[in-house]
Amino acid sequence: MLAACTDSEIQFFSSASLLTHKDVEPSSSCSLGRYGTVKDFKWLHHASAAYIVLSNGGLLCHGSLGKDLKDVIENVDAVDCCKDGNHIAVARENKLTILSSDFKETCCMSLSFQLWSNESDSEGTTIKVDSIGWVRDDSIVIGCVRLNEESNEEGYLVQVIRSEGNTFFDSPSKPVVYTYVDFFHGIMDDVLPSGVGPNLLLGYLHRWDLMVASNRKSIDEHIALLKWSFTPDDKKNCNIS
């Protein structure tokens, strides 16, 4: 099953019908209605056809095929889920919260942007999470923008939050955070309107432990690479290429 989002509408199509019919009608659809337009959409379980959808106003909803959308959380900046769909990562009020598939909190951590916020030109600005990518069982990537006094986006910061264990749930120690202030060069802030993200596009090549990243606002450097590796003392590391 495939989902296509346009404005506030979500339409669902059978993969087979798209291959065999030129003018195909959606098998079902739903709408955010008065809650705004679709900012992001994620499948949770393809088998049960469950999904989550985030509105541009920050409302996170949960749904499944043939059923109405249910409001879950307000004031959400970004969302993603792990590969098996059993846990959901939510950025809200500069905190990263991990939820179970039934939306119960399992852990929460504050996000720190000190390296960025200490810059001399940061007065009168706020930092907001633009996107989340749960690229590995032990690693979540956060993309952030800085909002000036006119609420226009400036710059782009990337953080990798990596657990010392195999997942976010089997390590008693705090995760390690890698911050990349200039992960993308050539960011043009006004190439897209503010608030239309997520602007960070991610793919992960498990065979090579390599993340391929792109940013919709980058006009010079279209692809950036991040390598997951182990140092000689068996400590985890992330290296930008």
Side-chain angles (χ1 to χ4, degrees):
M1 187 66 66
L2 298 176
C5 304
T6 305
D7 293 329
S8 62
E9 294 290 325
I10 307 170
Q11 297 182 334
F12 300 95
F13 298 87
S14 164
S15 302
S17 66
L18 292 175
L19 294 173
T20 56
H21 296 83
K22 183 177 180 180
D23 299 318
V24 61
E25 294 292 329
S27 58
S28 63
S29 64
C30 63
S31 175
L32 286 174
R34 60 185 178 86
Y35 295 121
T37 60
V38 176
K39 180 179 180 179
D40 208 354
F41 176 98
K42 304 289 183 182
W43 287 107
L44 291 180
H45 301 286
H46 280 278
S48 62
Y51 59 87
I52 50 177
V53 57
L54 179 64
S55 76
N56 64 336
L59 179 66
L60 181 65
C61 299
H62 173 255
S64 58
L65 290 182
K67 297 182 180 180
D68 294 333
L69 287 172
K70 296 181 180 179
D71 306 350
V72 179
I73 309 174
E74 295 180 340
N75 301 318
V76 173
D77 295 321
V79 65
D80 198 11
C81 58
C82 61
K83 185 178 180 180
D84 60 15
N86 289 328
H87 290 88
I88 302 163
V90 171
R92 182 173 180 262
E93 298 174 349
N94 286 346
K95 291 183 179 180
L96 176 66
T97 303
I98 306 299
L99 307 173
S100 62
S101 57
D102 56 356
F103 300 98
K104 294 181 179 179
E105 182 178 317
T106 60
C107 64
C108 180
M109 63 175 289
S110 296
L111 298 173
S112 175
F113 309 113
Q114 187 174 3
L115 289 177
W116 213 16
S117 59
N118 280 348
E119 294 182 2
S120 59
D121 61 348
S122 63
E123 293 185 5
T125 64
T126 58
I127 298 174
K128 185 175 182 179
V129 175
D130 166 70
S131 63
I132 294 179
W134 199 328
V135 295
R136 291 168 46 108
D137 290 340
D138 65 350
S139 302
I140 292 176
V141 178
I142 305 289
C144 307
V145 294
R146 188 161 44 194
L147 302 178
N148 61 23
E149 294 178 346
E150 289 77 33
S151 296
N152 294 320
E153 296 175 359
E154 298 177 342
Y156 207 90
L157 174 140
V158 172
Q159 286 190 335
V160 177
I161 304 173
R162 189 171 187 185
S163 169
E164 290 294 330
N166 292 326
T167 71
F168 267 83
F169 317 107
D170 61 5
S171 175
S173 58
K174 291 183 178 180
V176 178
V177 179
Y178 302 88
T179 300
Y180 305 95
V181 176
D182 296 317
F183 192 80
F184 294 100
H185 299 284
I187 292 289
M188 181 175 287
D189 298 309
D190 58 356
V191 71
L192 290 171
S194 294
V196 300
N199 294 311
L200 185 63
L201 307 176
L202 301 174
Y204 192 81
L205 306 176
H206 289 270
R207 181 176 180 180
W208 295 279
D209 290 326
L210 188 69
M211 184 184 80
V212 181
S214 181
N215 192 300
R216 297 198 299 160
K217 290 191 173 186
S218 179
I219 61 172
D220 292 333
E221 192 175 70
H222 299 294
I223 296 293
L225 304 177
L226 194 65
K227 173 70 175 176
W228 268 246
S229 62
F230 289 87
T231 56
D233 57 358
D234 288 332
K235 291 185 178 180
K236 294 182 176 181
N237 196 13
C238 298
N239 301 312
I240 191 170
S241 300

